[in-house]
Amino acid sequence: MIETTICNTPRLAVPDRSLSKARMKVGRAAWAARYYKSFSRDSVMAIAEAMAKAGHANAAEFADLAVSETGYGVVEHKTLKNQLCTHALLDHYRDLDLITPRIDVQRKILELPKPAGVVFALAPATNPVATVYYKAMLAVLSRNAIVISPHPAAKRVSLQAAQHLAKAVEAAGAPSGLIQCIEDPSIPLVQDIMASDKINVIIATGGNAMVRAAYSSGNPALGVGPGNVVAYVDVTAKVDAAARCLVDSKSFDNSVLCTNESVVVTLDSNRGNLERALRSAGAHVCNNADTDKLRDYLFGGEGFTLEAIGKSAQWIAERAGIRVSPSTKILVPVVPTPGQDDLLFREKLCPVLTLTAAVDFDQAVTFAKYTTRRGAGHSAAFHGEDSARLVAFSQDMPVYRVVVNAPCSQGAAGFATHLPPAFTIGTGFAGRSSVGENVGPQHLVHWTRIAYAKDQPADLASIDLTNVSSDRPMTSVQTHQGPQHTSGAGDVTRDELRQLIMEELRGLKGDI
């Protein structure tokens, strides 16, 4: 994913007030998490239902605000993504119980769920509201609190979306502070919060530099890197259907999803058929002059031209000096030889799909494998009916998702396949990430396992588990000074409240 976000730079000064407010949000989240981890499954599901309903109701409004603020994407497509991260996401995980203790009588093991606590979630500008919805749902279902750090280019709509969800869950019985959002994110502020001892896990979605920063923060992190999806169209593919998949995927939300196809490779014998099918599906297949113009526009400066992210095919064609039909959905530059290291073989978060052709299947796989290394661990697509080639392609590709005969943008993200729906796509060992799956709420819970000796009897049936998750009030916290009593369910201790007030005063001192 092309993002201008966090990097491993020396920490800069942060305004006292901004940092103080951010630290207070983390503190509130810690107290909310401490209370919320005792909620029953019925209570958690009721809170999740309320959040899904509220998010769905405002999906279109927030989509419009996101496009207005960032300039990225298509309102109707962002609306759909926002909606999919409400009821559909909840339905996918409805039967996943991360709350009830599990008893394995045969193996004499008792498992107790332990939520992480406070999740610090970074969200990109390309999918701001959908990512807020998605990560908040994961936190709620796993009985965690979440503090969201939006991309600065999408901070207003991200804050509004988070506050909207927070209001809904609190009305449904969730503790105050369960869902929060940083109001004024900056690189030094995010670096400070990522390193906080009150943060229990970081979910980092974005560019390599930001993910590396999350992993080097000293806190556990689920970081996912960029993609550079290659789609292979075999001679056995239904070429018209494959072309429609490619155009639909690459034009969806103007191609801001990191799961979108960046390059399509076929065989020389099939190139003419695929070009014809792509034109019929709404693509402008470039001649040599148009391909050169597009390359110069997209990569003529230092790296990718950021202003092209999330813009339409017509917008990009006009800037590049290419004449296209008003109905054009995507631009297809053609690089005849797949072996050369052409700039157009790199990731492009815009509706530009590079086409190339190999002499045979082995050369196609070699090229696809080499090209995908720029987005190692992410995703690939296969169009065709040859199962042997599908398996060979999937085995050789350094990715953890291969979408078959479907749009990869929606398929790898779990919305056009039965993969888990996600806006955090794990890139695993190949992508230097700690997780290779589509990230779900199960990644935010660990389990304490009580294991009995193999050769000794164990009466697991007599164990009383009624207080493990029963919405009970927080118990007293023992410290070296003795017990600190709470005045009721979810209330903070007097010492904690005093500390909160002092932090606020210290933060305000420089503004007076």
Side-chain angles (χ1 to χ4, degrees):
M1 179 175 293
I2 301 170
E3 284 287 345
T4 54
T5 133
I6 309 302
C7 57
N8 287 316
T9 56
R11 294 191 182 183
L12 305 174
V14 187
D16 287 345
R17 183 177 178 83
S18 296
L19 184 56
S20 176
K21 289 177 68 175
R23 287 174 175 173
M24 285 175 63
K25 288 179 184 292
V26 174
R28 286 186 65 207
W31 297 318
R34 201 176 307 158
Y35 177 31
Y36 188 51
K37 69 180 181 181
S38 68
F39 274 41
S40 67
R41 189 162 192 270
D42 287 345
S43 297
V44 167
M45 295 308 293
I47 291 168
E49 293 279 7
M51 184 171 71
K53 182 179 179 181
H56 193 276
N58 281 42
E61 177 186 347
F62 287 142
D64 185 63
L65 291 173
V67 173
S68 297
E69 184 175 358
T70 66
Y72 300 156
V74 180
V75 172
E76 62 180 306
H77 295 167
K78 287 197 182 297
T79 299
L80 178 59
K81 289 193 291 187
N82 295 347
Q83 291 172 339
L84 289 170
C85 288
T86 59
H87 297 299
L89 181 61
L90 174 58
D91 287 344
H92 181 86
Y93 289 111
R94 189 175 297 279
D95 296 329
L96 177 63
D97 189 348
L98 300 172
I99 296 168
T100 307
R102 303 186 298 215
I103 299 177
D104 187 333
V105 176
Q106 185 176 0
R107 295 194 303 147
K108 295 186 287 189
I109 293 178
L110 173 65
E111 298 177 313
L112 306 177
K114 300 289 181 67
V118 178
V119 179
F120 187 54
L122 295 99
T126 46
N127 299 292
V129 178
T131 303
V132 168
Y133 279 16
Y134 157 73
K135 291 186 177 180
M137 181 65 77
L138 265 54
V140 164
L141 289 174
S142 55
R143 295 189 298 177
N144 288 293
I146 185 168
V147 178
I148 298 161
S149 178
H151 191 283
K155 65 181 181 180
R156 292 195 301 274
V157 68
S158 300
L159 178 63
Q160 290 181 54
Q163 289 175 336
H164 178 65
L165 297 184
K167 182 178 179 180
V169 300
E170 289 172 24
S176 175
L178 194 70
I179 299 173
Q180 298 180 86
C181 184
I182 301 296
E183 296 174 6
D184 192 19
S186 65
I187 289 176
L189 185 149
V190 171
Q191 287 177 321
D192 183 276
I193 299 303
M194 283 198 300
S196 169
D197 58 5
K198 290 186 175 70
I199 296 298
N200 299 104
V201 64
I202 302 165
I203 306 180
T205 307
N208 273 328
M210 183 267 287
V211 172
R212 297 288 175 84
Y215 278 129
S216 63
S217 68
N219 279 318
L222 300 174
V224 299
N228 193 35
V229 175
V230 175
Y232 170 68
V233 179
D234 192 49
V235 293
T236 63
K238 298 175 181 177
V239 68
D240 290 329
R244 286 194 297 272
C245 281
L246 291 167
V247 173
D248 288 347
S249 179
K250 194 62 181 169
S251 61
F252 183 72
D253 204 16
N254 285 342
S255 195
V256 295
L257 284 166
C258 56
T259 50
N260 75 78
E261 297 88 341
S262 184
V263 179
V264 56
V265 58
T266 189
L267 303 187
D268 283 333
S269 60
N270 196 43
R271 176 179 153 185
N273 291 332
L274 183 55
E275 287 186 2
R276 173 195 56 76
L278 286 168
R279 289 191 184 97
S280 297
H284 174 83
V285 179
C286 298
N287 56 29
N288 290 339
D290 287 351
T291 295
D292 290 342
K293 289 178 182 178
L294 200 52
R295 183 189 297 106
D296 289 343
Y297 170 69
L298 293 177
F299 294 98
E302 295 182 4
F304 185 80
T305 301
L306 296 179
E307 70 171 8
I309 295 176
K311 299 300 192 299
S312 69
Q314 293 93 337
W315 190 97
I316 293 171
E318 182 180 353
R319 298 304 189 281
I322 301 171
R323 297 183 62 182
V324 300
S325 166
S327 61
T328 297
K329 295 181 178 179
I330 70 170
L331 305 174
V332 179
V334 179
V335 180
T337 306
Q340 57 186 304
D341 189 18
D342 197 291
L343 292 171
L344 288 169
F345 291 149
R346 299 184 180 183
E347 184 187 36
K348 302 169 287 293
L349 294 185
C350 62
V352 176
L353 176 67
T354 307
L355 170 65
T356 192
V359 296
D360 55 26
F361 176 71
D362 288 341
Q363 186 189 40
V365 173
T366 299
F367 163 76
K369 182 168 57 176
Y370 172 80
T371 302
T372 305
R373 284 175 181 164
R374 292 194 180 92
H378 212 288
S379 310
F382 182 97
H383 295 271
E385 305 299 323
D386 189 325
S387 58
R389 283 187 169 181
L390 167 62
V391 173
F393 176 81
S394 303
Q395 179 63 34
D396 279 0
M397 291 292 285
V399 300
Y400 296 110
R401 279 150 296 270
V402 176
V403 175
V404 183
N405 295 329
C408 196
S409 287
Q410 300 92 324
F415 299 112
T417 64
H418 292 290
L419 290 173
F423 279 89
T424 300
I425 311 297
T427 54
F429 303 133
R432 306 186 74 176
S433 170
S434 61
V435 59
E437 305 169 281
N438 288 5
V439 174
Q442 70 274 17
H443 295 108
L444 302 178
V445 177
H446 286 170
W447 297 76
T448 292
R449 293 174 171 83
I450 303 171
Y452 289 78
K454 289 182 177 181
D455 56 354
Q456 296 293 323
D459 184 13
L460 275 68
S462 65
I463 297 177
D464 183 7
L465 297 173
T466 56
N467 288 325
V468 173
S469 57
S470 59
D471 293 354
R472 67 189 187 280
M474 279 197 304
T475 56
S476 299
V477 180
Q478 298 292 330
T479 70
H480 65 281
Q481 296 175 330
Q484 298 176 345
H485 299 286
T486 64
S487 59
D491 290 344
V492 302
T493 65
R494 292 185 179 88
D495 283 352
E496 288 171 330
L497 184 59
R498 188 179 300 111
Q499 180 183 359
L500 178 65
I501 294 171
M502 291 303 296
E503 287 181 1
E504 170 105 19
L505 291 174
R506 282 194 295 270
L508 293 174
K509 186 179 297 183
D511 299 323
I512 298 175

